[in-house]
Amino acid sequence: MVRIERLVTSGTFSLDGETFDVDNNVWIVGDDEEAVVIDAAHDAGAIVDALGGRRALAIVCTHGHDDHIDAAPEVALHTGAPILLHPDDLPLWHMRHPALEPNTHLTDGDVIRVGGAQLHVLHTPGHSPGAVCLHAPELGVVFSGDTLFQGGPGATGRSFSDRPTILASIRSRLLTLPPETIVHTGHGPDTTIGAEAPGIED
C-alpha cells in the first residue's frame, strides 16, 4: 500500500546575496519496501531515519534552489539512490554543489514508479527554469515544489525566475488536473487545484 509521508526540516535558503531561514516539506512516497524522496532538504539524517530501512529508488529534486537540494548528496551516499534534476536547473545546482553532478536528468513526461504508484514529471518553469511538479493520478495528488502554494504561485522575484512563465506553467500543466487534486507543496500547508484556480490571473 503506497503512502505519503511529510517530514518538515529547517535550514536556510540563499540566493542573490541574501539568506533566509526556511522550513521545507520533504515528501516520501512509497510502501513498506521502497520509497522515493522528493526534495532532500537540510537534514540528511532525519530523511534517512524516515526511510526506515526501505530501499530508496530516487531522490527527486523539484528544482535546484539550495534549500531543496542541500541534503541530497548525503542522502544519496547513505542510500545509494540516484539524484534526479531537470537540466535547466544545473546552474542553480552548481551554486550549492559545484563539484557534483546529479545522476539523471529529468525530462517532461518521465514516469517514476514506486510501490505501484506512478509519479508523472511535469516541467513547470517559472520559479526556476528547471522546476518540475510530480503528478500521481492514482493517489490524487501533485507535488508542486515551489511552483504552487496555498494562496497562489511561487515566488518569482529572484534570479532565474519569471512571473509570466510560472503563471503559464500553472495554467497549462496544473489547472488542467482534476480540481480535487491535493497539492503537496514545498513549504507550508496543502491545498487543492480547485482552491487555487480562481486566484491565478487570466
Side-chain angles (χ1 to χ4, degrees):
M1 181 72 176
V2 177
R3 60 186 184 272
I4 298 169
E5 301 159 65
R6 170 167 38 196
L7 173 68
V8 179
T9 60
S10 300
T12 61
F13 163 62
S14 299
L15 189 63
D16 297 338
E18 295 184 273
T19 297
F20 305 89
D21 292 328
V22 289
D23 295 327
N24 284 62
N25 294 328
V26 180
W27 297 99
I28 299 175
V29 184
D31 57 17
D32 290 337
E33 303 297 325
E34 60 187 25
V36 166
V37 176
I38 301 171
D39 288 342
H42 307 309
D43 191 337
I47 296 168
V48 172
D49 287 347
L51 285 167
R54 289 175 286 176
R55 182 164 59 101
L57 302 183
I59 301 161
V60 184
C61 308
T62 62
H63 60 292
H65 285 156
D66 64 352
D67 59 319
H68 290 255
I69 64 169
D70 53 359
E74 188 176 349
V75 175
L77 184 65
H78 280 283
T79 64
I83 299 169
L84 285 60
L85 176 77
H86 193 284
D88 288 354
D89 268 15
L90 283 172
L92 287 164
W93 170 272
H94 287 138
M95 289 179 185
R96 178 69 190 205
H97 304 299
L100 183 68
E101 297 295 324
N103 301 93
T104 302
H105 289 166
L106 291 170
T107 59
D108 187 69
D110 284 351
V111 178
I112 301 163
R113 294 173 172 82
V114 57
Q118 297 184 351
L119 305 176
H120 297 257
V121 176
L122 310 175
H123 183 209
T124 53
H127 182 67
S128 67
V132 302
C133 297
L134 303 169
H135 180 219
E138 303 97 335
L139 304 178
V141 305
V142 62
F143 299 92
S144 65
D146 287 1
T147 294
L148 182 64
F149 291 104
Q150 184 184 78
T156 53
R158 299 192 173 273
S159 299
F160 301 96
S161 65
D162 183 74
R163 183 170 176 81
T165 301
I166 199 172
L167 289 171
S169 293
I170 292 169
R171 289 192 205 106
S172 64
R173 308 310 306 275
L174 298 184
L175 298 190
T176 54
L177 301 177
E180 66 273 14
T181 302
I182 296 170
V183 181
H184 290 315
T185 62
H187 307 269
D190 294 342
T191 185
T192 65
I193 293 296
E196 301 308 321
I200 305 299
E201 298 173 5
D202 292 329

